[in-house]
Each structure stands twice: as C-alpha cells, then as structure tokens.
Amino acid sequence: MPPPHDGNQYTPFKDLIRVERIGEDTYRSIALPFSPGGQLPNAIARSYGGHVYAQSAWAACQTVDAGFLLYNVIGHFHLPGSRTTPFIYHVKRIRDGRSFASREVSVMIEGDTAGPVFTSTCSFKKTEPSILDVQEPVDLWKVYGASLRNKRPEDSEEVPGVDVPWYWKLRSETGQNDEFPGLDMRKADMTEYNRDRHPLERKGLIFYRGVGHLPQDPNLHLCAHLYASDRNSLYIVTNQLDVGDLYTQMSSLVHQTSFHGNIENLMFGPSKSDDSQMDDSSESGRWYCKEDTTLRVANGRAMLHGRLFASNGAHIATATQDGLIRFAKKPDPTPKELAMIREREARWPPRGKL
C-alpha cells in the first residue's frame, strides 16, 4: 500500500503481533495494522479492530508466568484506532492465583490525549486434564455440502478488504483486493446453502491459517485465533440480511472470545494426517474455520455469533460481537429509508422453509 499507510501487506503473524516493552507493564505496537479499504475514498480511515483486540491480549501475555494460557478475552471498543500511529498498551495486574490469573489492558494511541480507544479483560488458566469433553458433532462438509462440495479452503477467494457491495464491484472491475496481514483468510461462497433460507438461518464460513511460521508459544497461537475472530464481523450481519448497501453507520462495541478444549487443537502448523479437507501437511499448515450467524438485530445494534473449528472438527472457541449498525442518517428515519428496509425484508424467504 502506498504511503502514508503500508499495513495492508502479507506480514507474518509473529511480526504483526510483536510489541516492545517501554515501561513497567507498558508496551508499544511495532507493525502497522490492517486498514479495511486502505486509501480508497469510500473507506473509513480506521484500523482493523481485530488487531488491537489480539495485541492487547498479547501484551497481557507478557505479564503472566509460564503455564498460564488465555481462555477468555472481552474487548470494549471506544474510539477508532489509528492506521499510522503506534498503540500503547497499559497492562494492569488484577489477580495472580495458583490456577487463574486476570489482567486489564487499556489501549491508547501514542501521543493522543483523547483517552483509551480500547479496553480489554484477559483471563488466564493453567491447563488441567479434560475428564469430560463434550461438544455438538460438526462435519462442515456434510452440513454445508451445498456450498462446500468438492472444494478445499484454498479454492475460496480471499476475504474482501471491505465486505460490502461497492467493494465487490470495484474488486470485480480491477481484480484488486487489500492484502491482509497475519493470516491467510478465505471466504466460502455460501450462496447455494443460504439461497432459500431466512437471514437468521443463514451462515457464513471463513477459513484461515497463519502467514509465516508461528513459534511454539501457545498464547501466540491463541492470539492468532483472536485476530481471526473479528474478521468481517458486522459485515456478515448486513450481508446475511441483504442490507449491506443500506447501513449508514457501523462500529464494533463489545467482542468476546472463549477458548475450549485441548491446546493441541489450537496450535497452527502442518497437519499430521489428511483426514479432512482442512488438513494440510505442507509448511503452510492446516486450516481453521470460523462459522458465523446472527440471531438478533434491533435498536441500532446487532449480535453476531461465531464458532471456531479445528480441522478435526473440534469446537475450539466461541466468539460473540455486539455491534452498532444504523440504517438512518439521523435519529428519525426518513420515509425513504424506512421504505428501503421494508422492501428488503419483503424479499426474505420464510423461516424454516428448508
């Protein structure tokens, strides 16, 4: 990407996430973050929220003893993040117990006095034997066969830099897409699966794996999943409701991710077998899948639900995002704005048709 922003490039995740210690429990980002749309006139000049979400957790990881692994991260977005100025991460030690530890992280833009742009609570736990391990069995290629049949993750296109109609049109005309740092992320074409389904029954699938080698630090791999969990986020909501060209304002508010199961299922890298389409024994490593849906939109807010799966079908994490989505330019919608929303609703298939 041309100056002044060059964060939109295929940077290895280990380099993207790095922080430097500048004080007691205080850290500064090094690599510039991804910016959806880059320098395009239609793009909003802000950084990808998943960057500060994952990096705040990584800063917190620098303050815990070996053996403590992330198991839950709750992030609150307050102000847009800068595309060109480093983030400063202030970590507060809340508790250090024998099995659990917790941290709060306040994130500022270097030199900015406007207050924190983001805050997070990071919870850590030492591993223990999994005496009971239960989950809903999920075979992605069976459940979503209408869209995934005879395809592998790498057959899907890269996730659009901005997943909205105007960007799709630009991409189709130019063939260009913003380079996404840290992870190779592919968006499955779910048209066939979603075609006759009500928006609340539709699903989105994004496959992802690391860019570059990831050192064998479990918390680094967990932060990579946090980074993936925010990809596309609220765009998924508007697209599933067929209103991706009608929203007037969109912003993440609260994002939460909880990790589940054995750490072995959460580690990126080459697969040990070829038992699933997501396995890959090459240096690029196996794929993970993020499955997203929305169940509630009201009062200018929307809730996104996501499940993250390993190549062996293990449900490794659950993510939810509460976001701001508005469809009127002023507090009171105009008759035209109301009419456009009602027209889109009228197109929706009835629930439970399939």
Side-chain angles (χ1 to χ4, degrees):
M1 217 49 171
H5 177 77
D6 62 357
N8 294 16
Q9 52 186 299
Y10 298 128
T11 307
F13 185 77
K14 65 180 179 63
D15 297 328
L16 178 73
I17 200 71
R18 280 197 308 133
V19 293
E20 57 180 339
R21 188 172 183 271
I22 59 173
E24 185 176 358
D25 293 342
T26 303
Y27 302 85
R28 179 167 52 205
S29 64
I30 298 173
L32 292 179
F34 177 74
S35 177
Q39 300 295 309
L40 294 174
N42 289 3
I44 300 176
R46 66 173 62 174
S47 61
Y48 167 57
H51 183 103
V52 70
Y53 180 58
Q55 198 165 53
S56 71
W58 182 236
C61 290
Q62 310 310 304
T63 70
V64 297
D65 294 336
F68 281 93
L69 301 181
L70 282 165
Y71 76 87
N72 183 274
V73 179
I74 304 174
H76 295 262
F77 295 87
H78 306 300
L79 294 168
S82 172
R83 302 185 298 174
T84 57
T85 308
F87 294 107
I88 305 298
Y89 298 90
H90 300 281
V91 182
K92 181 179 180 181
R93 300 174 185 240
I94 303 301
R95 183 177 185 272
D96 286 296
R98 288 179 297 178
S99 299
F100 292 86
S102 56
R103 299 288 186 266
E104 287 184 356
V105 186
S106 180
V107 187
M108 315 285 288
I109 295 174
E110 187 174 49
D112 195 334
T113 60
V117 297
F118 179 84
T119 53
S120 67
T121 303
C122 303
S123 300
F124 297 83
K125 180 182 180 296
K126 286 190 173 180
T127 58
E128 62 182 73
S130 185
I131 299 175
L132 181 63
D133 190 335
V134 181
Q135 72 164 76
E136 176 190 1
V138 177
D139 183 335
L140 296 172
W141 264 255
K142 182 177 180 180
V143 175
Y144 302 113
S147 290
L148 297 183
R149 191 172 293 111
N150 301 321
K151 295 180 181 178
R152 287 183 53 85
E154 56 265 37
D155 296 328
S156 299
E157 291 188 340
E158 288 183 305
V159 177
V162 186
D163 202 0
V164 294
W166 68 261
Y167 192 93
W168 302 340
K169 183 176 184 294
L170 180 66
R171 186 177 179 183
S172 68
E173 294 172 348
T174 65
Q176 299 298 309
N177 189 38
D178 289 307
E179 294 184 0
F180 187 69
L183 298 177
D184 179 0
M185 303 197 73
R186 308 297 182 101
K187 178 185 175 183
D189 183 353
M190 298 296 287
T191 303
E192 290 303 314
Y193 178 84
N194 289 331
R195 187 183 305 280
D196 296 320
R197 285 180 163 81
H198 186 275
L200 299 184
E201 297 169 335
R202 294 171 181 171
K203 298 292 177 64
L205 297 180
I206 292 179
F207 298 100
Y208 64 96
R209 61 183 175 184
V211 171
H213 172 72
L214 269 69
Q216 293 301 297
D217 181 333
N219 277 326
L220 181 67
H221 291 242
L222 293 172
C223 286
H225 291 292
L226 294 176
Y227 185 71
S229 70
D230 190 45
R231 189 74 165 111
N232 260 29
S233 62
L234 300 177
Y235 295 138
I236 296 170
V237 176
T238 56
N239 290 334
Q240 289 186 355
L241 272 65
D242 302 323
V243 291
D245 56 341
L246 297 184
Y247 73 89
T248 59
Q249 189 176 357
M250 177 186 292
S251 181
S252 298
L253 297 175
V254 182
H255 189 90
Q256 176 171 350
T257 304
S258 294
F259 292 108
H260 320 298
N262 299 325
I263 188 62
E264 290 78 11
N265 287 327
L266 288 143
M267 300 291 284
F268 290 78
S271 302
K272 297 180 180 179
S273 68
D274 294 315
D275 292 337
S276 89
Q277 291 87 339
M278 291 164 62
D279 280 320
D280 193 326
S281 58
S282 74
E283 186 177 344
S284 296
R286 61 177 172 174
W287 295 89
Y288 289 88
C289 182
K290 182 167 76 86
E291 173 204 67
D292 294 299
T293 191
T294 185
L295 299 177
R296 194 72 172 100
V297 178
N299 301 111
R301 287 175 39 235
M303 179 64 74
L304 180 72
H305 298 258
R307 295 190 297 177
L308 279 58
F309 294 97
S311 61
N312 62 3
H315 178 189
I316 59 169
T318 300
T320 61
Q321 184 164 144
D322 187 358
L324 170 73
I325 302 180
R326 289 176 174 150
F327 298 95
K329 293 182 179 180
K330 296 182 178 180
D332 293 322
T334 65
K336 182 179 179 180
E337 288 170 334
L338 283 172
M340 288 192 296
I341 291 295
R342 296 295 172 260
E343 189 273 334
R344 296 298 172 87
E345 286 181 310
R347 299 183 193 178
W348 295 347
R351 294 198 66 179
K353 181 179 179 180
L354 296 180

